[in-house]
Amino acid sequence: ERESAPVCGFNAAVLRHGQVLHFDDTEAEGERVMALGIEIDEREPGGQSRCWMGVPLRDHDRQTIGVMCLHSDAPHGLDEGDLALLTTVSALIALALDNSLLLAAEQHRHRIASTLMEVGQVVNSTLHYEEVLASILEQLARVVDFDGAAIMLPRDGGTQNFLRMVVRAVRGITEI
């Protein structure tokens, strides 16, 4: 994991306004910096630069999820061509992030479907309900992160006043 940077300064302004910001010379454009509510912070990457540009990273719902920025120590060190390239690259990054999230969601759905199929096979392969219930908890642990689980059934046939523990799982250990 990389070092975290505080959400401040120019990057915070891009996140707050959700739009592209480009400063050819941050010192000469001090009034604009102040009007946008930007407070320079030395911990911000590029916060002390003379030339700064940043574009929002947007998800498929067009919500701002991050910032991509370029900066230069020289005033007028970045031009409109750099901004066009930065905008294109940021769109590609956002698409890659969306695709990654979609893949993770699909993998999760696949694990759930596999688990349901295996539970169905166990249910159909045995007549001992304790084995079925224990297997269900074992399979459930594959798709849900839990510290403890239990299956309880009404005591004495149909009365709802008391439940009896039939199967319990604690951190992956199943007890009948």
Side-chain angles (χ1 to χ4, degrees):
E1 170 142 337
R2 303 253 183 231
E3 182 180 321
S4 295
V7 178
C8 57
F10 296 108
N11 288 300
V14 172
L15 288 171
R16 186 172 48 254
H17 300 288
Q19 64 185 14
V20 173
L21 289 179
H22 179 192
F23 296 91
D24 283 323
D25 186 344
T26 56
E27 289 181 14
E29 296 178 75
E31 287 182 25
R32 182 172 164 230
V33 169
M34 286 179 28
L36 289 168
I38 297 172
E39 295 183 24
I40 307 297
D41 187 320
E42 68 276 352
R43 298 173 297 163
E44 176 185 23
Q48 302 295 321
S49 300
R50 290 284 303 269
C51 182
W52 191 94
M53 65 175 54
V55 297
L57 296 172
R58 299 185 191 281
D59 65 7
H60 64 280
D61 292 327
R62 304 292 299 150
Q63 298 295 314
T64 302
I65 59 170
V67 177
M68 186 170 178
C69 66
L70 294 176
H71 44 88
S72 173
D73 291 335
H76 305 283
L78 301 167
D79 61 21
E80 294 302 317
D82 298 322
L83 183 58
L85 181 61
L86 182 63
T87 302
T88 301
V89 170
S90 72
L92 292 172
I93 290 171
L95 181 62
L97 291 171
D98 274 347
N99 286 342
S100 175
L101 292 173
L102 288 172
L103 176 62
E106 181 56 34
Q107 289 172 336
H108 181 70
R109 282 191 293 274
H110 178 67
R111 280 194 308 274
I112 289 172
S114 295
T115 299
L116 291 173
M117 287 180 12
E118 288 182 26
V119 167
Q121 289 172 349
V122 169
V123 168
N124 292 325
S125 69
T126 184
L127 296 176
H128 301 298
Y129 76 88
E130 290 96 354
E131 288 179 35
V132 171
L133 298 176
S135 177
I136 288 171
L137 287 182
E138 288 172 12
Q139 298 303 320
L140 186 61
R142 290 177 42 198
V143 293
V144 178
D145 185 24
F146 62 84
D147 291 327
I151 297 176
M152 299 185 293
L153 298 174
R155 186 175 293 281
D156 301 326
T159 176
Q160 297 291 330
N161 293 337
F162 294 97
L163 295 174
R164 64 185 170 96
M165 180 84 64
V166 179
V167 180
R168 181 174 69 173
V170 180
R171 295 188 191 262
I173 301 170
T174 304
E175 303 170 355
I176 299 177

